[in-house]
Amino acid sequence: MEQVVATIFNVLILSSMYILVALGFAFLFNMLGILNLAHGAVYMVGGYIGFALINSAGVNPWVAILIATLIMAGFGVVLERFCFRPFTGDFNRIVMVGVGINVVLQTAVNALLGTRMQALPSFFDGYLRFGVVSVSYQRITIFLIGAALLVLVSWFVRRTKHGQQMQAISQDIEGAALSGINVHRVSALACAIGSGMAALAGCLMGSYLMLSPYMGDLMLIKALVLVILAGIGSIGGIFVTGLILGGLDAVAPVIFDGAVADAIPYIVVVVVLLLRPRGFFGREA
Amino acid sequence: MNALSRFAADKTRSAGYGILVVAVILLGVIPLLMESLYSLHILVMVFFYVIAALSLRAIVISGQFPLGHAAFMGVGAYASGMAAKWLHLPPELTIPGAAVFTMIIGVMVAVSFSRLRALYYAMGSLFLGVAIIQILNAGGTWTGGYSGFSGITPMFGNSKVSWYYAALGLMILSAAALYRFEFSRIGTNMKAISQSHLVAESVGINEAKYRILAVAIGSFFVGLAGAGYAHYMGTIATSSYNFMATMWLFMYVLVGGVNNFFGPIVGSFILILIPEYFRSLKTYSPFISAGILFLFVYLMPGGFAGLIQAAVARVKSWRRERARDVAAD
């Protein structure tokens, strides 16, 4: 029973973190076809900024997470303006820029903070006891923040003006521009929101698991899995694929041992892609 | 006029051959001039990565982006290493065997992914590459798992100079084979497919067949590079074949210039040798690689080959202008 509840919470936390990172990636990918290879590094740096603020500057954890989110959102604007906008439509150069940014951020973290694994301190101590089952407040908080943010983002995409403009651009970029949508401004906003969400997920994951300078590479691949399995152009599908991948990642280690458990999700993904090349909810390619 | 332009083309072509011969001779005499074994070691690595980058470009010219290409280098490396260590086969047999094995795996993948086009093929091969790496990690004592696979049968008594000439020869042979391949009818058909698969099919080019063929050729040579590399190093780890490793292979191709056959060769030399020269910076040395990437992205969009082409074009137009001025006088 204990393990079942713990696994359910693992599924929920992992899924919400994967979805948070993948949504930010999907915004740019769906709208402008930009393969943002720096997204994983943004997620990693967000976590490390939170860590540095809490540990070295002694900032309140909540304030630290907020600052980290805002810094990386600002970085997202810079990224869009100087690294992606000049090369829109040029796949090769966007990939090169992404790898370059990735290397710069990883090396900077390595040089400044060392390659040791670090962890953010927990925000809450204690456990919520429920009969024989106990769940730490820490995990509940992480899940609640992630879930609240996901609700907020889906509301933003579906109901607000800028969100609907983003959807319009991902359907038809020229039509959107012709009907008066400022494509550059909306994509800068999308990159800022995406980077901010990634940074926040980095902070939360840093207190749930550990921080390492190379954790971004793995998260980038997870984000790609979510976006491709959902189908290019689908935002809602990411929530479904996020739950599937989070479930696989959380349940597989319970049944199989270490390395085998790491392999299973990817084998499943390859098989699914063979059966449904367009993903679950993708439009016609 | 026609004879004149043909003469000019012949002249640039023979200039190109001249540069090539000089480069090969230079690479051939380096071990005689250089005492440092470490420098030879770096050059041997460059030769293996040149083969890998060239094989990647062989697939890219058919309009496909195999984002899991480095994993196939890993397949070649592990296949050869495991056959040599556990079956006690001689490396002379396992290296070509591993290349063929990698080609078979590549063809199986290409056939199953032949429905996927462009971006979806890229993603399919990316996830497959990750899956291959994870399966190798899960291999227990057979593959060494996360801690790496060691004890691979050495060749040439581990003499660096012998390895240098072997790797150089392998690189020249592979480059020659891939050059013939690209400028044959098959290569031309592949370039046609990458420009427009609809037009290519309408003139009778079997799209799926040529795309599978491109993957087969690319997988063979990347498997060869991986197998040679494994026997040279003696120890391999899955982390050298992950997603970022594939991205670096792409960087070698793009920095050299994807539109030119010699691009990947030049790109590998630039991106491996220059950061290596600054290795005294220790933790900061990856900044050099990133700096090179930014330099090429912002200033040389066509890569190194594009830079040379632009320079040649400028010299030619300058000459033509001067000839016209002389004629006007």
Side-chain angles (χ1 to χ4, degrees), chain B residues 74-89 94 98 101 135-136 139-145 149-153 227 230-231 236:
Chain B
V75 169
Y78 274 86
S80 181
M82 284 164 73
K85 188 177 176 184
W86 302 119
L87 304 177
H88 304 293
L89 293 174
T94 61
F101 178 74
I135 290 169
L136 287 175
T141 45
W142 290 100
T143 62
F149 184 60
S150 55
I152 300 169
T153 322
H231 286 279
I236 47 178

Side-chain angles (χ1 to χ4, degrees), chain A residues 8 20 30 41-42 54 66 71-72 81 105 109 113 118 128 151 155 157 179 211-212 216 219 235-236 245 249 276 280:
Chain A
I8 289 175
L20 269 182
N30 291 347
V42 167
I54 295 171
L66 190 69
I71 290 178
M72 290 327 278
R81 178 64 190 86
L105 293 182
V109 168
L113 296 162
Q118 312 273 15
L128 177 71
V151 172
W155 171 79
V157 171
S179 43
L211 289 172
S212 101
M219 199 50 145
I235 294 285
L245 190 72
D249 272 353
R276 274 198 72 87
F280 288 124

Side-chain angles (χ1 to χ4, degrees), chain A residues 29 37 82 87 92-93 95-97 100 102-104 107 111 217 224-225 228 232 259 262-263 266 269 273-274 277, chain B residues 112-113 115-116 119-120 123-124 126-127 130 134 137-138 146 244 247-248 254 283-284 286-287 290 294 297-298 301:
Chain A
F29 192 61
L37 291 178
F82 295 105
F87 313 126
N92 292 342
R93 284 161 91 187
V95 167
M96 280 173 94
V97 164
N102 201 358
V103 171
V104 167
T107 312
D217 292 347
L224 275 166
V225 168
I228 296 300
I232 294 173
D262 288 346
Y266 297 102
V269 167
L273 210 63
L274 283 176
Chain B
S112 20
F113 280 132
R115 283 163 68 201
L116 306 183
L119 197 60
Y120 287 94
M123 293 303 152
L126 162 62
F127 300 147
V130 180
Q134 297 292 2
N137 277 336
Y146 284 112
M244 283 320 283
M247 290 329 293
W248 279 110
L254 293 178
T283 24
Y284 295 93
F287 281 138
F294 288 131
V297 167
Y298 286 100

Side-chain angles (χ1 to χ4, degrees), chain B:
Chain B
M1 189 59 214
N2 197 12
L4 197 68
S5 64
R6 201 181 310 140
F7 173 69
D10 279 351
K11 219 164 78 175
T12 34
R13 179 173 289 180
S14 47
Y17 282 136
I19 291 172
L20 210 60
V21 169
V22 169
V24 168
I25 291 173
L26 267 181
L27 285 174
V29 298
I30 276 178
L32 307 176
L33 305 175
M34 249 195 309
E35 289 297 306
S36 149
L37 287 181
Y38 185 75
S39 312
L40 285 189
H41 164 71
I42 296 299
L43 282 171
V44 173
M45 303 240 293
V46 173
F47 294 156
F48 283 125
Y49 275 100
V50 164
I51 302 175
L54 280 171
S55 73
L56 177 65
R57 190 173 166 277
I59 303 182
V60 167
I61 57 167
S62 74
Q64 305 179 95
F65 294 91
L67 294 183
H69 202 60
F72 282 88
M73 195 172 173
V75 169
Y78 274 86
S80 181
M82 284 164 73
K85 188 177 176 184
W86 302 119
L87 304 177
H88 304 293
L89 293 174
E92 293 80 9
L93 201 70
T94 61
I95 291 179
V100 172
F101 178 74
T102 314
M103 182 169 82
I104 293 169
I105 301 272
V107 168
M108 278 163 55
V109 174
V111 169
S112 20
F113 280 132
S114 64
R115 283 163 68 201
L116 306 183
R117 208 166 263 141
L119 197 60
Y120 287 94
Y121 174 80
M123 293 303 152
S125 56
L126 162 62
F127 300 147
L128 186 97
V130 180
I132 289 176
I133 294 298
Q134 297 292 2
I135 290 169
L136 287 175
N137 277 336
T141 45
W142 290 100
T143 62
Y146 284 112
S147 44
F149 184 60
S150 55
I152 300 169
T153 322
M155 285 173 81
F156 310 123
N158 269 340
S159 144
K160 284 268 186 284
V161 177
S162 312
W163 261 112
Y164 179 90
Y165 284 112
L168 179 64
L170 196 66
M171 179 185 88
I172 293 173
L173 278 180
S174 310
L178 285 168
Y179 186 86
R180 279 297 298 147
F181 172 71
E182 178 174 342
F183 294 100
S184 67
R185 192 174 182 86
I186 301 172
T188 314
N189 286 352
M190 280 172 188
K191 285 180 183 165
I193 290 170
S194 86
Q195 280 183 5
S196 164
H197 62 91
L198 290 174
V199 174
E201 257 182 312
S202 73
V203 295
I205 297 173
N206 183 342
E207 187 197 350
K209 186 180 113 187
Y210 281 105
R211 287 204 319 207
I212 293 167
L213 195 62
V215 174
I217 301 283
S219 307
F220 178 84
F221 281 102
V222 84
L224 194 67
Y229 182 82
H231 286 279
Y232 171 63
M233 295 298 283
T235 308
I236 47 178
T238 48
S239 58
S240 358
Y241 308 112
N242 62 12
F243 174 56
M244 283 320 283
T246 306
M247 290 329 293
W248 279 110
L249 284 184
F250 261 97
M251 294 306 111
Y252 299 158
V253 175
L254 293 178
V255 161
V258 69
N259 291 324
N260 192 297
F261 179 82
F262 295 98
I265 303 178
V266 179
S268 310
F269 273 89
I270 292 176
L271 267 179
I272 299 177
L273 290 188
I274 295 178
E276 197 53 48
Y277 184 76
F278 291 99
R279 72 177 183 281
S280 55
L281 296 173
K282 295 203 176 74
T283 24
Y284 295 93
S285 62
F287 281 138
I288 303 289
S289 317
I292 298 171
L293 289 186
F294 288 131
L295 196 70
F296 275 89
V297 167
Y298 286 100
L299 300 179
M300 302 169 222
F304 192 76
L307 187 75
I308 299 289
Q309 257 163 14
V312 168
R314 180 160 296 184
V315 168
K316 269 186 186 160
S317 79
W318 176 70
R319 269 198 194 150
R320 212 177 302 134
E321 243 165 58
R322 209 180 53 170
R324 202 168 50 211
D325 288 351
V326 170
D329 289 342

Side-chain angles (χ1 to χ4, degrees), chain A residues 163-200:
Chain A
Q164 287 171 344
Q165 287 180 342
M166 277 162 59
Q167 283 185 309
I169 293 173
S170 65
Q171 275 165 18
D172 182 352
I173 185 164
E174 276 159 14
L178 279 175
S179 43
I181 294 173
N182 187 338
V183 174
H184 290 320
R185 199 163 64 196
V186 175
S187 50
L189 183 74
C191 196
I193 294 174
S195 303
M197 285 197 301
L200 197 129

